Amino acid sequence: MDTKITLTQAKKMLATKECSSTELVQSFIKEATAKRDLNCFITETFDDALAQAAEADKRIASGNALALDGLPIANKDLYCTQGVRTTAGSNILKNFIPPYESTVSDNLKKAGAISLGKLNMDEFAMGSGNLNSAYGPVINPWRSTADPEKDLVPGGSSGGSAAAIAAGLCLGATASDTGGSIRQPAAFCGITGIKPTYGLCSRWGMVAFASSLDQAGPMAHTIADCALLLQHMASYDDKDATSLNVTIPDYTANLKPAAKGLRVGLPKEYLEGLNQEGQDLLQKGINWLKAEGAEIVDISLKMTAAALPTYYIIAPAEASANLARYDGVRYGARVDSLTLDEMYQNTRHDGFGAEVKRRIMIGTYVLSAGYYDAYYTRAQKVKKLISQDFDNAFEKVDVILTPTTPSAAFGLHDSNNDPVAMYLNDIYTVTVNLAELPGISVPVGLSNDGLPLGLQLIGPKLSEQLLFNVGLTLEQAAQFPHFKAI
Ligand code: GLN
């Protein structure tokens, strides 16, 4: 059967017995096998998925179907999965088989979702093009009309998740976002992705990058699909000290288009330097929301320019501390050497890729005695100011509308190895992580070259329902060609 379906459609098909979970899973396995050249999966667990589908079919037949029963999804290879290799895109974890399951993947499993395997990603979630994976790059299933031969990046770091959904290899996927890694690849691949409020989903069992910014979230074709997945990913977890103890609303039951009477903020700082294509797309978004009764309000988020520099102090600082555990003793690979010090050095030299080493060096520097206050403490103060900027804005507006990315997907070989140019990809997304807010990317249009572009909605803490509902207004107006790349 065709894999050009949404998660919500597949759920209905299972409920009405139009197909079985086994048929569904078989079709997605077939597609994933046929499209192995996209390099979306690091590890496939197809046999296990088929065994789970048989169990799901039994439950469905007996009228005891679980909320996501029998639906094939896949996990970013950042989520520890019990008994299934988890690499975080790194060589240093190439043989790591976790003895435990992350709370997020466990929640999905308990809701009946079936994982087809582990999805490719930038090493330790550091990157914006999936070019930093030790398992090779992922190819975006979309092609530009100007140069259809050219392979494009899917975005990063959740590039495998985004490309797998866009290519019809799974119905939805887990992803993670520290500075934009759900929203930017979602925009590049023409799918939907939400980074929830910090703490809504548990970080337990998620390989850590920058603990004060990391947040789990779903990616899928549509808003309704993401609402359904987030519902079953989020939970209070006493194993994560930063987990929010809140009741998770029924996002699906409460899903309805919203715009009427809402004040939508347009931050002037996000318009500066935006190219014509981006401006036109934003204008479309404004017109759609206005047509449904929203009021557009010009706002200023004056700390915006400080966001990327602040992120590139805090994230590497926390990464350097988090990655200290990969020492050849406690986890993963070891390069045997004559002395203990040499063993540490050789293990980390061989195990980590160039971008990860760069971040560890930056992080170690900004945390070193004498520089700690000048960099890390100061960055934490600026982080607070960025949050206050948003707090002030949300006194005047209900949601904020911005582009998700400064451009559409770029070529696999376009990047001139300039890390700073790569960091600019997240210019519209990092502020949201620093302020611990939810942000969603909705695919709403195509570039002049026929590539997907997204708009981002940002809301106050725990406003996920509002983002889904306003996002639905955009989705319905945009009529994005969800399956064009398949
Ligand atoms: N692209 C950003 C970085 O390289 C953000 C990554 C992320 O959100 N995990 O750090």
Side-chain angles (χ1 to χ4, degrees), residues 12 74 157 222 252 260 265 300 351 406 431 471:
K12 278 202 194 103
S157 64
T222 63
T252 304
K260 202 171 169 54
S300 168
T431 49

Side-chain angles (χ1 to χ4, degrees), residues 7 72-75 119 161 165 170-174 219-221 225 229:
L7 183 91
I73 57 149
N75 285 306
L119 295 163
S161 305
I165 295 161
C170 57
L171 290 165
T174 53
M219 285 174 138
H221 290 291
D225 293 358
L229 285 172

Side-chain angles (χ1 to χ4, degrees), residues 271 273-283 406 448 453:
L271 307 175
L274 182 62
N275 65 21
Q276 193 57 48
E277 221 166 54
Q279 287 179 29
D280 294 348
L281 187 81
L282 193 61
Q283 192 55 51
N448 299 333
L453 292 169

Side-chain angles (χ1 to χ4, degrees), residues 76 78 122 124-129 132 156-158 176-184 209 213-214 308 311-312 315-316 355 359 422-423 425-426 429-430 433:
K76 183 174 181 177
L78 187 83
D122 280 302
F124 289 106
M126 298 173 189
S128 301
N132 300 332
S157 64
S158 312
S176 71
D177 191 314
T178 305
S181 278
I182 291 179
R183 294 159 287 158
Q184 185 255 15
F209 166 12
L213 307 170
D214 294 346
L308 268 182
Y311 173 83
Y312 277 101
E355 183 62 27
R359 306 263 180 129
M422 194 61 103
Y423 299 168
N425 267 288
D426 295 321
T429 49
V430 279
N433 301 73

Side-chain angles (χ1 to χ4, degrees), residues 19 51 60 67 87 110 118 256 307 309-310 321 358 428 456 485:
C19 69
I60 296 169
T87 69
K110 287 192 174 126
K118 308 299 292 290
K256 54 174 186 302
T310 305
R358 181 180 295 120
Y428 303 127
Q456 174 179 232

Side-chain angles (χ1 to χ4, degrees), residues 383-404:
K383 178 177 187 272
K384 186 87 206 156
L385 293 175
I386 292 169
S387 283
Q388 280 169 5
D389 239 8
F390 279 103
D391 289 346
N392 294 338
F394 288 126
E395 282 175 12
K396 299 190 204 87
V397 299
D398 302 295
V399 283
I400 294 171
L401 179 71
T402 79
T404 308

Side-chain angles (χ1 to χ4, degrees), residues 140-379:
N140 191 326
W142 287 79
R143 304 252 140 200
S144 122
T145 49
D147 189 355
E149 296 304 309
K150 183 170 162 178
D151 285 338
L152 303 172
V153 302
S157 64
S158 312
S161 305
I165 295 161
L169 317 188
C170 57
L171 290 165
T174 53
S176 71
D177 191 314
T178 305
S181 278
I182 291 179
R183 294 159 287 158
Q184 185 255 15
F188 275 15
C189 291
I191 61 164
T192 308
I194 181 166
K195 177 243 170 249
T197 307
Y198 181 73
L200 192 76
C201 293
S202 168
R203 283 185 297 110
W204 197 80
M206 237 174 114
V207 176
F209 166 12
S211 309
S212 74
L213 307 170
D214 294 346
Q215 174 57 214
M219 285 174 138
H221 290 291
T222 63
I223 297 270
D225 293 358
C226 281
L228 189 59
L229 285 172
L230 182 60
Q231 177 110 40
H232 298 285
M233 286 169 70
S235 66
Y236 169 66
D237 185 3
D238 58 13
K239 295 202 281 301
D240 171 1
T242 55
S243 172
L244 294 176
N245 196 349
V246 293
T247 312
I248 311 299
D250 188 338
Y251 299 123
T252 304
N254 298 322
L255 190 63
K256 54 174 186 302
K260 202 171 169 54
L262 286 180
R263 297 160 305 168
V264 177
L266 270 191
K268 73 169 194 288
E269 292 77 5
Y270 286 55
L271 307 175
E272 290 159 11
L274 182 62
N275 65 21
Q276 193 57 48
E277 221 166 54
Q279 287 179 29
D280 294 348
L281 187 81
L282 193 61
Q283 192 55 51
K284 275 190 187 165
I286 293 169
N287 295 346
W288 291 326
L289 293 175
K290 262 188 176 167
E292 296 302 322
E295 179 197 345
I296 306 297
V297 182
D298 290 322
I299 58 166
S300 168
L301 295 167
K302 57 185 188 310
M303 295 304 297
T304 301
L308 268 182
T310 305
Y311 173 83
Y312 277 101
I313 291 173
I314 294 177
E318 295 183 10
S320 72
N322 276 326
L323 271 56
R325 75 191 67 175
Y326 305 107
D327 56 5
V329 178
R330 286 171 290 186
Y331 285 92
R334 168 190 301 183
V335 177
D336 284 321
S337 311
L338 285 178
T339 68
L340 182 65
D341 280 354
E342 274 173 22
M343 190 279 287
Y344 288 151
Q345 277 172 16
N346 294 336
T347 297
R348 289 167 70 83
H349 175 274
D350 288 6
F352 291 137
E355 183 62 27
V356 172
K357 285 178 184 148
R358 181 180 295 120
R359 306 263 180 129
I360 292 174
M361 285 193 287
I362 297 172
T364 310
Y365 178 78
V366 300
L367 291 178
S368 57
Y371 288 113
Y372 191 99
D373 284 339
Y375 289 106
Y376 191 69
T377 308
R378 205 174 166 87

